[in-house]
Amino acid sequence: MAGSGRTGPRSTDHAWLITGPLVLFAVVCSTVTGLTAARPFGEWPLAAVLLAAMVAAGLPVLNFTVRRQSIGVTLTEIPLVLAFYFVRPLTVVVIYTLAAVLTHLRHRMGPTKLWFNVARAAAGSSVAVLALQAFPPVEGVGPRTWLTLFVAASMVSLFSITSVAGVHTLLQGWQAGREAFRKSPSMLLATAMNIVSGLIILILIATTWWSLLLLGTLTTALALVYRAYAQFFRQHRTLADMYELSRAVSGSGQDGTLADALLGRVRALMQAEYATLWLPAQGRHPEVLLTSRIADSGLLDVAPTPAELRQRARDEGRTVVLGRGMTTDGDLRGPVSGQGVKDVIAVPLRSGQATIGTLEVVNRLGASNYFARTDVPLLETVGAHAAVALENSRLVDRLRHDAYHDALTRLPNRRRISGALDEAVKIRAPGEVVALLLFDVDRLRQVNESLGHAAGDKVLTEVAARLRACAPSSALVGRVGGDEFLVTLRLESAEAALELAGQLREQIRDEMVFDALTLDVDTAVGVAVHPDHGSDAASLLQRVDLAATAAKAVPGSVQLFNPALESRSLRRLGLAGDLRRALDDGELEVYFQPKVTLRDRRLVGVECLARWEHPAHGWVAPDDFVAVAEHTGQLGRLTEFVLREGLRRSRDWSHGEQPLAVAVNLSARSLTDQHFPAHVRELLEEYGVPPQRLTLEIKEAGVLDGTERPIPTLRRLRDLGVRLSVDDFGTGDSSLAHLRRLPVHEVKVDRSFVQGMATDPGDLAIVNAVVTLSQQFGLAVVAEGVESELTLELLQDIGCQIGQGFLFSRPLPYERLEAWFGAQVDPETISAGELPRLRVVL
């Protein structure tokens, strides 16, 4: 079977395996005809006329569309019928073969194809005239003559179809040969119509030679009609092709197949051997150079034309044409011809005023065919459609990119990372985990407020650059929130994830220099891994966020997720509604913890602390419900509740001739409320408590946040006569020097340093420094967390004035506080104007 055992088509040189036998067959048939015919040659003048007619009939190819199938027709059978009737047999072979030579030379076919077609014509005409010799002699133009000439002319066509199918089978396989036979009915129909037309002309000529005048007139009219039809059909087909091209290009711009849809159709529309699309690099889009070639099913990444041709079209923004009679850039003819290019049209692709690339077609199909001037505006129209489609495609690509990337850092955003995680967790790899590392940038808000958002953006951009540079190449680095960055990758274990998180955190902590400003940026890092901490992207992102939140409690720490973090978060979420109800129903209580002078054990006041016993959860940690109140907008109500209860108890003690100061914790958010000082004044007047008996304690992070925001509120509170205290001092990054500009009266040393004084020289040094410098600034110092006699002695030695802790008393409800007061205070020390002294220290 033809084509079996081969992986591709054979070279056209193998066509000689068919051409040679055809030549031999033509010689044999012609020899037999010459031996059997009485006069094999003759009628040369008439033969010359018929030769001219054959050449004229064979050059144009008439195209007709029948049932959406295009049929190409030549009229060579008409003069062939006349030649069979008027000319000697071998003369017919000679002029028909010579006509084939002249016709195919005019079409500039290659040698192999030329000689195959000439041999095919010679063999077909030879077998036809040999058949005519076997038939009875032709006499007149009656039906018997019609049948004889019809059979002879049909034999030429049948022999031609068989030869073409044979060479296709030899070169391309049996499927190509079968396809040639499948198309034969339309060819035979056209041949039959030509033969009938030739017979009609023969009848007219046999009747009178004057009929040639009528035939000439009819032929001229038909030629004009066909020309108009061909022009209309060509325009219609061009419009249809343009519509299909535009629709295909528009539809392919969304899925990234624009080049495939464009180039193949442009090449077919322009009947070109090559169609090339060139888009130079632009922004994040790389250079594109793709070529569709007629012999290839895919696209090539090379082009047959030199780069300077398309570069000139792009730089000058005009169409470059090289071809017969319409060359615009003659200096390019040499380089182009050297690469086997006979003609080319390159049009610029414009987007507004800019030129984004070029579209070019090369080598009009057919050795004798060239691009015409009418092809230039056609390709320019195609280029305009292509430019719009390309810009739309790039716009869609930009929108898709922006939808999945952060605008500031250009990192993948939460949506992109969530999709990547969903894909990553589907792939199980033994001995590996999918690790998530969430970096939360500390104090970014302070940077924005102090230096402006431009400085904050620079910090975020620098953090992103450092993470990209330091993270492993297999990691996906993204920005999932305002000050949160996520790194995800596959690692050996959760321990490896913790180690990597620590290394990346250290890289981020290096100094950041912006112009003349140097910043130290730290991060809290949360870590979660799949499959230990979640099976999908949503749960993993939620849990790594919980881990990062927990890491903020210990500055600069790295926290691995554990189930306790989630249970606490869920518990806080459920407490939101319960807290509102508890405030409405008065379920919260206020406990009081005494504050005592360390030298003479005198009671100077109490700190008011909110406590909540939940009906279902039991005692709720203050940190939990205070955080819930802050995030649900109930912090103001909670603060007012504690203030009212503290002032009410202070008033009651005053009525009992035992005046006692109260201290209330204040949130940093309250300092941003310009109405808060006035509200405090109203409460003091309502309960009749002197302002100096009220101390408001604000955490260090709230009062020393690096901005001037809390200062006006603090000054208004100080002007009321209220005492102000900085709580938990030492846990932040502020220095004692910052206290000089604040209108505060007191500093409370955090319990973490006080409890470590007896065992850690560093903690002792810190407390000593705070006490010494605070006294120089005229500030009172309160030590929290006094729980042992040794700690008490150390605090006395360094000059600390006031202490608070379990050594004196735990926080107590009001009833138990009264009992404690009665048991611990020496009645003899209670006198007007003096603070009560404790009897003993428990």
Side-chain angles (χ1 to χ4, degrees):
M1 181 178 294
S4 60
R6 292 184 286 109
T7 59
R10 288 176 173 172
S11 170
T12 55
D13 293 338
H14 289 82
W16 287 103
L17 297 175
I18 299 294
T19 304
L22 288 177
V23 172
L24 180 61
F25 186 78
V27 171
V28 172
C29 290
S30 297
T31 302
V32 173
T33 300
L35 294 176
T36 57
R39 291 179 56 193
F41 296 100
E43 290 87 19
W44 290 108
L46 183 57
V49 175
L50 291 174
L51 172 62
M54 289 180 182
V55 173
L59 285 176
V61 179
L62 308 181
N63 292 292
F64 299 94
T65 300
V66 180
R67 294 181 180 179
R68 296 185 180 181
Q69 181 179 0
S70 181
I71 301 175
V73 178
T74 59
L75 305 178
T76 54
E77 288 82 4
I78 294 177
L80 181 61
V81 169
L82 299 177
F84 283 147
Y85 185 83
F86 288 111
V87 181
R88 295 298 175 181
L90 290 186
T91 304
V92 174
V93 175
V94 171
I95 63 173
Y96 191 72
T97 303
L98 187 57
V101 172
L102 296 176
T103 302
H104 292 100
L105 283 176
R106 180 65 179 81
H107 289 161
R108 299 190 178 184
M109 291 184 175
T112 302
K113 183 179 290 189
L114 170 66
W115 291 116
F116 166 76
N117 285 293
V118 170
R120 175 170 59 91
S125 59
S126 297
V127 72
V129 296
L130 182 61
L132 282 175
Q133 298 302 310
F135 293 150
V138 174
E139 295 179 359
V141 290
R144 189 165 65 86
T145 300
W146 303 347
L147 180 60
T148 301
L149 296 179
F150 190 92
V151 171
S154 298
M155 291 182 67
V156 176
S157 181
L158 287 172
F159 197 90
S160 176
I161 293 173
T162 304
S163 302
V164 171
V167 77
H168 283 179
T169 302
L170 175 67
L171 299 181
Q172 301 178 6
W174 62 271
Q175 291 182 340
R178 186 177 63 177
E179 182 67 17
F181 274 121
R182 191 183 66 81
K183 296 179 180 179
S184 61
S186 59
M187 298 176 62
L188 291 174
L189 176 62
T191 298
M193 295 175 61
N194 287 339
I195 294 173
V196 171
S197 300
L199 291 174
I200 293 173
I201 294 174
L202 175 62
I203 294 172
L204 293 174
I205 293 176
T207 302
T208 174
W209 285 92
W210 289 102
S211 60
L212 290 175
L213 295 177
L214 298 177
L215 290 174
T217 303
L218 179 61
T219 300
T220 303
L222 290 176
L224 294 175
V225 170
Y226 174 78
R227 182 178 179 182
Y229 163 79
Q231 184 177 3
F232 170 78
F233 178 74
R234 184 165 53 252
Q235 293 174 349
H236 179 271
R237 186 181 64 183
T238 301
L239 289 175
D241 291 343
M242 283 291 298
Y243 171 75
E244 290 296 330
L245 186 146
S246 300
R247 188 172 66 172
V249 167
S250 300
S252 62
Q254 309 294 327
D255 55 13
T257 60
L258 177 60
D260 302 79
L262 173 67
L263 292 178
R265 286 174 170 79
V266 168
R267 183 182 50 75
L269 175 65
M270 302 299 296
Q271 301 179 39
E273 183 180 0
Y274 299 93
T276 299
L277 173 67
W278 176 57
L279 303 174
Q282 180 181 3
R284 65 182 186 84
H285 298 284
E287 181 183 20
V288 174
L289 179 63
L290 295 173
T291 298
S292 172
R293 186 170 62 182
I294 189 172
D296 296 302
S297 56
L299 297 181
L300 309 176
D301 57 359
V302 295
T305 53
E308 52 264 30
L309 183 144
R310 62 184 68 91
Q311 189 67 47
R312 180 173 298 182
R314 181 210 177 195
D315 293 343
E316 300 180 8
R318 63 179 178 84
T319 301
V320 174
V321 181
L322 298 179
R324 187 172 61 180
M326 55 176 188
T327 297
T328 60
D329 295 70
D331 58 316
L332 294 176
R333 168 59 70 185
V336 169
S337 300
Q339 300 189 30
V341 175
K342 65 175 183 176
D343 54 351
V344 58
I345 304 175
V347 300
L349 301 178
R350 295 184 179 89
S351 175
Q353 299 298 321
T355 301
I356 62 174
T358 61
L359 178 66
E360 63 187 66
V361 289
V362 179
N363 289 354
R364 187 65 174 265
L365 294 177
S368 61
N369 294 333
Y370 291 86
F371 291 119
R373 294 189 182 277
T374 55
D375 292 323
V376 176
L378 177 60
L379 187 60
E380 289 176 341
T381 303
V382 173
H385 284 284
V388 172
L390 286 167
E391 278 300 285
N392 290 339
S393 177
R394 287 186 170 182
L395 176 60
V396 170
D397 183 59
R398 284 195 298 271
L399 292 175
R400 186 180 294 115
H401 180 274
D402 292 344
Y404 289 96
H405 289 79
D406 172 56
L408 175 64
T409 62
R410 296 300 177 185
L411 292 177
N413 59 14
R414 178 177 289 272
R415 180 185 299 177
R416 170 71 178 88
I417 290 177
S418 180
L421 281 176
D422 279 331
E423 295 298 323
V425 299
K426 293 177 183 178
I427 303 174
R428 295 296 181 91
E432 287 186 348
V433 298
V434 178
L436 282 76
L437 285 59
L438 183 63
F439 295 81
D440 192 305
V441 181
D442 288 342
R443 299 185 305 278
L444 182 65
R445 179 180 175 184
Q446 286 85 345
V447 173
N448 288 332
E449 293 174 347
S450 303
L451 305 175
H453 286 276
D457 290 345
K458 288 182 179 180
V459 170
L460 293 174
T461 303
E462 180 64 20
V463 170
R466 293 187 181 185
L467 282 176
R468 265 194 305 245
C470 301
S473 59
S474 60
L476 176 63
V477 180
R479 182 186 178 197
V480 295
D483 55 359
E484 295 178 341
F485 295 86
L486 188 79
V487 177
T488 177
L489 72 166
R490 290 185 177 273
L491 292 171
E492 298 81 8
S493 61
E495 291 72 20
L498 288 171
E499 182 180 355
L500 177 61
Q503 294 173 357
L504 294 178
R505 175 178 166 270
E506 289 301 320
Q507 294 295 330
I508 295 175
R509 290 185 63 189
D510 287 346
E511 290 184 346
M512 294 185 184
V513 180
F514 303 108
D515 298 329
L517 182 65
T518 301
L519 296 178
D520 290 326
V521 177
D522 203 354
T523 57
V525 190
V527 179
V529 298
H530 165 80
D532 298 348
H533 302 145
S535 58
D536 57 78
S539 60
L540 287 169
L541 289 172
Q542 175 193 359
R543 288 163 182 171
V544 75
D545 189 61
L546 289 174
T549 302
K552 293 179 185 178
V554 182
S557 70
V558 178
Q559 174 69 52
L560 180 66
F561 172 81
N562 61 77
L565 298 176
E566 186 170 40
S567 61
R568 184 178 181 184
S569 176
L570 292 174
R571 186 168 177 243
R572 283 187 176 183
L573 184 62
L575 291 176
D578 297 339
L579 179 61
R580 182 177 289 106
R581 179 183 53 79
L583 288 170
D584 293 338
D585 298 343
E587 295 180 2
L588 270 69
E589 295 183 71
V590 174
Y591 278 40
F592 305 89
Q593 187 174 27
K595 299 166 66 175
V596 180
T597 60
L598 300 181
R599 288 291 181 187
D600 51 8
R601 312 296 200 276
R602 292 187 180 275
L603 182 65
V604 295
V606 292
E607 181 179 0
C608 303
L609 302 169
R611 293 294 184 266
W612 181 22
E613 186 176 9
H614 192 277
H617 300 298
W619 288 103
V620 181
D623 287 344
D624 286 345
F625 69 78
V626 170
V628 169
E630 188 169 6
H631 286 90
T632 57
Q634 301 179 78
L635 188 60
R637 290 188 62 192
L638 180 61
T639 302
E640 181 178 355
F641 166 74
V642 178
L643 266 174
R644 285 184 175 276
E645 186 67 12
L647 293 175
R648 184 168 70 88
R649 297 306 181 186
S650 179
R651 179 193 63 187
D652 294 344
W653 280 318
S654 297
H655 291 167
E657 296 183 355
Q658 295 178 352
L660 199 62
V662 294
V664 176
N665 288 299
L666 195 64
S667 169
R669 184 169 296 182
S670 298
L671 297 180
T672 63
D673 183 3
Q674 59 180 346
H675 302 294
F676 181 73
H679 187 55
V680 171
R681 183 182 65 250
E682 293 173 359
L683 291 176
L684 289 171
E685 292 174 354
E686 178 181 348
Y687 288 98
V689 176
Q692 61 269 19
R693 291 186 188 171
L694 174 63
T695 300
L696 296 178
E697 298 182 359
I698 307 100
K699 290 186 180 296
E700 177 190 358
V703 71
L704 295 172
D705 63 352
T707 69
E708 299 295 323
R709 291 190 312 162
I711 303 271
T713 303
L714 291 174
R715 287 175 177 168
R716 291 175 62 190
L717 290 171
R718 182 196 60 185
D719 294 341
L720 286 177
V722 173
R723 288 178 56 81
L724 301 175
S725 175
V726 179
D727 195 10
D728 295 340
F729 191 82
T731 58
D733 293 335
S734 303
S735 69
L736 283 166
H738 291 160
L739 293 174
R740 299 179 61 185
R741 62 186 181 88
L742 295 177
V744 297
H745 307 85
E746 178 182 285
V747 174
K748 295 187 73 173
V749 184
D750 186 68
R751 69 180 68 248
S752 62
F753 300 110
V754 174
Q755 292 174 347
M757 289 175 58
T759 57
D760 189 341
D763 288 344
L764 178 60
I766 291 175
V767 176
N768 188 19
V770 172
V771 171
T772 302
L773 292 177
S774 296
Q775 290 175 347
Q776 291 180 3
F777 295 153
L779 302 176
V781 181
V782 179
E784 294 183 293
V786 181
E787 298 181 358
S788 68
E789 290 288 351
L790 178 58
T791 302
L792 177 63
E793 293 175 1
L794 292 173
L795 289 170
Q796 290 175 338
D797 292 341
I798 63 177
C800 184
Q801 301 163 324
I802 303 171
Q804 176 182 346
F806 291 175
L807 180 65
F808 307 112
S809 174
R810 294 176 179 272
L812 301 172
Y814 180 69
E815 294 76 11
R816 291 183 59 189
L817 177 68
E818 286 188 318
W820 177 88
F821 190 82
Q824 299 299 323
V825 174
D826 185 356
E828 297 180 358
T829 63
I830 301 177
S831 61
E834 292 187 10
L835 295 173
R837 177 180 295 175
L838 301 186
R839 183 181 290 117
V840 295
V841 177
L842 299 179

